[in-house]
Amino acid sequence: MPYLDHNATAPFHPAARSVWLETVEQAWHNPGGLYPAATAARELLEACRERLADLLDCDPARVIFTSGATEGANAVARHLRATAEHGTILISPLEHPCVDEAFHGLLGPRVELLPVTAAGVVAWETVLPRLHTGRRPALISVMAASNESGVLQPWRTIAETSRSAGVAFHTDASQWIGRLPAAGLGECDWVTASAHKCGGPRGVGFMLVPAGIKALHAAWGGPQERGRRAGTEDVAGIAALVAAIESAEASLSTVVAEDRAGPRDRAWNRLRDGLPGAVLVSGAAERLWNTLAVVVPGADSRRLVAALGRAGVAASTGSACASGAGSTPRILAAIGAERLGLSPRDLRGMVRFSSGHATTDADWETAVDALVSACGDELPPPRVSLHG
Ligand code: PLP
């Protein structure tokens, strides 16, 4: 049955699974040891670091393996609190709670939210006049791709512009990695990501830190990761992370970019025919090829997602973290009901489908038909909207 919740977590990629099994069997030793088996585990760890750095275009010394994007974002915020005592931290209002909560929690009133356009793209140009003045921010943080709507943010341009102004830039690349080429992410000062969004194991991730950082102020303890992230390294998880990204990058190279979004776009056309009132979220923006977020005016997204589940379709209300909470997805809150042509109540009706490299047209069709049928059961006849 269709699994269309890859933005929450993706199934273990067979290549990553086989690398993981082989490593837990054969290279399970503590990479900090001094005997040959430990040295072999350490060599594998360093080979993984080099391979990942190669994919991201950066110096391997900048790569730190973590337990995931949440740990990474917290480490960035802690580092800023410890080292950059002044200066505003500009973040997008679309950030995953691991950035939003960590930054607000650790940096408090220094955090300011950037505006977004009606399509859900961060209007980062509004900070340009500030970059060369005394009001220069200490850091800008904008996610590479939105988990909720798939909107691609202009991280390359922000990274370049920030660098020339001497402002640090962080991007949460959790949804980008494995869905679009990782090349160039090394241009960002800070990058955080998880393995499990693209077929690696849960509880493993990585971060890129600016060159030359010695102390990270994240986790205190042993000397692992050049003293910047204490804790025995999960070599099998790390090897599987790299294998998952490599496999995803190989899949990307075999499909023409324009064709990747084909199944998703055909699904939207089918959905629009079945539910003429449905609103495509961020339809005017460039989006990840795998993500389709729609608002069904008047619907309760949790009821729809539950009905989809009963029909054997795994989808989500927007973000895994918000699934149970009944909250408005960040993307809709940031754009605002008015600009979407919706009432505030309608913002509760978002459903997100997110596919993987192996998802077929038939999976999308089943999912869309299940949503149309769930809406027939749950809703009064839909209003026709001008947005589509
Ligand atoms: N950032 C984004 C954009 C995400 O979608 C997620 C997971 O949903 C995270 C960060 C957090 O990842 P993890 O729970 O693996 O730390």
Side-chain angles (χ1 to χ4, degrees), residues 361-381:
D361 268 298
D363 292 329
W364 276 109
E365 279 173 23
T366 308
V368 163
D369 293 350
L371 181 61
V372 173
S373 135
C375 289
D377 296 342
E378 303 274 340
L379 282 176

Side-chain angles (χ1 to χ4, degrees), residues 7-9 67-73 94-99 143-148 172-176 192-197 202-204 319-321 352:
N7 289 9
T9 196
S67 64
T70 299
E71 180 189 326
L94 312 176
E95 298 302 303
H96 185 274
C98 73
V99 172
M143 71 205 315
S146 160
N147 49 314
E148 294 178 326
D172 172 358
S174 304
Q175 298 291 346
W176 182 286
T192 47
S194 287
H196 68 102
K197 306 287 183 184
R202 274 153 287 273
V204 183
S319 86
C321 303
R352 178 192 73 189

